[in-house]
Amino acid sequence: MESRAKADRAAMTAPAFRLLMTVDAVGGVWRYAMDLAQGLKRHGFHSVFAGLGPQPSPAQRAEAERVGALRWFEEPLDWMAEREAELDPLPSALARLVREERIDIVHLNLPSQAYGLAVDVPVVAASHSCVPTWFKAVRGENCPAPWDWQVKRNRSGLARADAALAPSGSHARLVEGVYGPIRNLSVAFNAALPPPGAPAARREPFVLAAGRWWDEGKNGAVLDEAAPWTAWPVHMAGALHGPNGQRMRLRHAEALGELASGQARALMARAGIFVSPSVYEPFGLAALEAALSGAPLVLADIPTYRELWDGAALFAAPRDPQSFAAAINRLAEDEGLRSRMSELAQERAQRYSPENQIDAVLAAYRAAGLRAADRLLVA
């Protein structure tokens, strides 16, 4: 009788499902994956991370191993590959890991990673960004001919997946505009954890922006051009040099360089205004983190930001430095407006909670075919 009770207790605490999730150490997917896996852990999921692209930092590796298990592969990310053939070994490598780790469901954070993937478990492909939608949003054109294989791999990966996820309705529409209708495509808004500390009692008179500024889609040049006309100094946190040789030079704003997540969020808690000038933003995690800290927002007037923040932020014409300067100065010169916009941003941010994100992701897992009928799904 006692042994049966022990077995029952073991079943109650054992992970219900083993999840394979792809990650990279370059952009926002890392934060997305770590926070999502931590939340899913409370629902009985054990995560195995399959890393691709540049190696993670020691701090990133330690974080992943606190959440789950980490395996790193030699294959590049699709947008970093110079030739399509560099990605050819990936399907068999992922399939082998599925077998070795007895995986129950696969969550891929690049749809191209589902291309040619032969596994007998449900596959969910999440589109956080991709080269073809980047070209459509940033330059208003189709992917150049040398990158046609990107369209092929992403389209085939989305067709192969049992369900697909987008971080916003705007990005879902853009993805279907590029690749055509996608079955079981749903929206799971990204989420961010609450700030680690309370916002500063009195915010400081500076403007903060954060992004990978070497990426043309982040539109940092427009904010840099706006800086001479702003009442408050503009500080831009993030890398100026990209992994493929991309470079950006700031002439007017202050470059803060790359910051650890904790450092960036500490600055958000002090900043008088947070700005995101991005013209390609499938969700915009930095804006959400800033809103949670209580910073009033000035955002580029693009479909994603209108969908998520309309009525809770000021908007500027994406390509117009003077428009950004005017919106920033309107807030800088009106303390009452800053206070109202801070409250509205914080209130809106509650929609994008980890709990809501996990509910949407679990719904996608069920749509993909994951069933708990023969397992105990730990709540």
Side-chain angles (χ1 to χ4, degrees), residues 79-91:
W79 57 273
M80 298 181 71
E82 296 182 5
R83 297 174 294 106
E84 181 182 7
E86 295 177 59
L87 305 179
D88 287 345
L90 183 60

Side-chain angles (χ1 to χ4, degrees), residues 64-150:
E65 290 173 349
R66 285 194 300 270
V67 178
L70 179 64
R71 297 274 295 274
W72 211 266
F73 292 88
E74 295 181 1
E75 285 73 25
L77 301 165
D78 59 13
W79 57 273
M80 298 181 71
E82 296 182 5
R83 297 174 294 106
E84 181 182 7
E86 295 177 59
L87 305 179
D88 287 345
L90 183 60
S92 59
L94 290 176
R96 184 168 58 252
L97 187 58
V98 167
R99 293 191 300 271
E100 292 173 354
E101 294 288 345
R102 305 184 308 282
I103 296 298
D104 297 299
I105 184 165
V106 176
H107 181 136
L108 303 172
N109 282 312
L110 281 174
S112 63
Q113 293 166 348
Y115 178 86
L117 181 61
V119 294
D120 58 1
V121 299
V123 175
V124 175
S127 175
H128 299 281
S129 67
C130 62
V131 170
T133 57
W134 185 95
F135 270 97
K136 184 64 72 174
V138 177
R139 299 186 181 174
E141 61 189 36
N142 293 330
C143 202
W147 292 79
D148 279 348
W149 59 268
Q150 292 267 354

Side-chain angles (χ1 to χ4, degrees), residues 10 102 140 187-188 191 222 239 245 259 274 283 288 316 323 330 362:
R102 305 184 308 282
V187 173
V222 166
L259 302 178
F274 183 85
F283 180 82
L288 173 57
S323 182
R330 185 181 167 197
L362 289 175

Side-chain angles (χ1 to χ4, degrees), residues 145-188:
W147 292 79
D148 279 348
W149 59 268
Q150 292 267 354
V151 179
K152 177 191 73 175
R153 284 198 173 242
N154 279 302
R155 180 179 287 128
S156 296
L158 288 164
R160 185 263 174 265
D162 300 294
L165 286 169
S168 64
S170 302
H171 188 63
R173 290 187 289 274
L174 179 59
V175 168
E176 289 200 304
V178 170
Y179 300 113
I182 300 165
R183 69 188 174 100
N184 287 340
L185 173 63
S186 61
V187 173

Side-chain angles (χ1 to χ4, degrees), residues 35-58:
D35 290 348
L36 177 59
Q38 185 65 56
L40 290 171
K41 195 173 185 178
R42 295 192 293 273
H43 290 260
F45 285 77
H46 171 77
S47 295
V48 177
F49 300 111
L52 297 108
Q55 289 283 331
S57 69

Side-chain angles (χ1 to χ4, degrees), residues 23-371:
V23 297
D24 68 72
V26 180
V29 166
W30 181 271
R31 187 75 273 129
Y32 166 89
M34 294 302 118
D35 290 348
L36 177 59
Q38 185 65 56
L40 290 171
K41 195 173 185 178
R42 295 192 293 273
H43 290 260
F45 285 77
H46 171 77
S47 295
V48 177
F49 300 111
L52 297 108
Q55 289 283 331
S57 69
Q60 286 175 311
R61 187 176 291 276
E63 179 183 23
E65 290 173 349
R66 285 194 300 270
V67 178
L70 179 64
R71 297 274 295 274
W72 211 266
F73 292 88
E74 295 181 1
E75 285 73 25
L77 301 165
D78 59 13
W79 57 273
M80 298 181 71
E82 296 182 5
R83 297 174 294 106
E84 181 182 7
E86 295 177 59
L87 305 179
D88 287 345
L90 183 60
S92 59
L94 290 176
R96 184 168 58 252
L97 187 58
V98 167
R99 293 191 300 271
E100 292 173 354
E101 294 288 345
R102 305 184 308 282
I103 296 298
D104 297 299
I105 184 165
V106 176
H107 181 136
L108 303 172
N109 282 312
L110 281 174
S112 63
Q113 293 166 348
Y115 178 86
L117 181 61
V119 294
D120 58 1
V121 299
V123 175
V124 175
S127 175
H128 299 281
S129 67
C130 62
V131 170
T133 57
W134 185 95
F135 270 97
K136 184 64 72 174
V138 177
R139 299 186 181 174
E141 61 189 36
N142 293 330
C143 202
W147 292 79
D148 279 348
W149 59 268
Q150 292 267 354
V151 179
K152 177 191 73 175
R153 284 198 173 242
N154 279 302
R155 180 179 287 128
S156 296
L158 288 164
R160 185 263 174 265
D162 300 294
L165 286 169
S168 64
S170 302
H171 188 63
R173 290 187 289 274
L174 179 59
V175 168
E176 289 200 304
V178 170
Y179 300 113
I182 300 165
R183 69 188 174 100
N184 287 340
L185 173 63
S186 61
V187 173
F189 292 122
N190 283 353
L193 298 176
R202 186 171 181 84
R203 290 185 170 271
E204 299 174 30
F206 69 90
V207 177
L208 178 66
R212 300 185 305 274
W213 301 116
W214 50 265
D215 179 353
E216 182 184 339
K218 297 302 180 186
N219 203 29
V222 166
L223 183 58
D224 184 48
E225 290 177 30
W229 295 299
T230 59
W232 290 354
V234 175
H235 298 178
M236 296 175 65
L240 299 177
H241 301 156
N244 287 347
Q246 307 96 321
R247 299 176 70 88
M248 181 193 173
R249 178 174 172 268
L250 297 182
R251 296 182 301 153
H252 306 292
E254 180 179 346
L256 301 182
E258 287 192 79
L259 302 178
S261 176
Q263 293 174 301
R265 298 202 69 173
L267 272 178
M268 290 173 182
R270 293 166 42 208
I273 300 168
F274 183 85
V275 180
S276 176
S278 295
V279 293
Y280 177 66
E281 202 64 79
F283 180 82
L285 192 59
L288 173 57
E289 291 176 337
L292 285 168
S293 80
L297 304 177
V298 173
L299 305 174
D301 196 351
I302 60 174
T304 303
Y305 281 153
R306 277 291 179 181
E307 174 190 351
L308 301 177
W309 299 103
D310 197 18
L314 298 188
F315 292 89
R319 306 289 186 178
D320 185 354
Q322 293 281 8
S323 182
F324 276 98
I328 290 168
N329 290 341
R330 185 181 167 197
L331 282 172
E333 294 162 4
D334 190 335
E335 185 176 355
L337 179 61
R338 290 200 306 277
S339 178
R340 289 197 300 277
M341 297 311 297
S342 169
E343 291 174 2
L344 288 169
Q346 286 180 291
E347 181 181 350
R348 181 65 57 82
Q350 303 312 308
R351 295 184 185 179
Y352 315 120
S353 67
E355 294 78 13
N356 289 344
Q357 180 191 36
I358 288 170
D359 287 346
V361 169
L362 289 175
Y365 288 1
R366 290 191 291 271
L370 187 65
R371 295 290 179 263

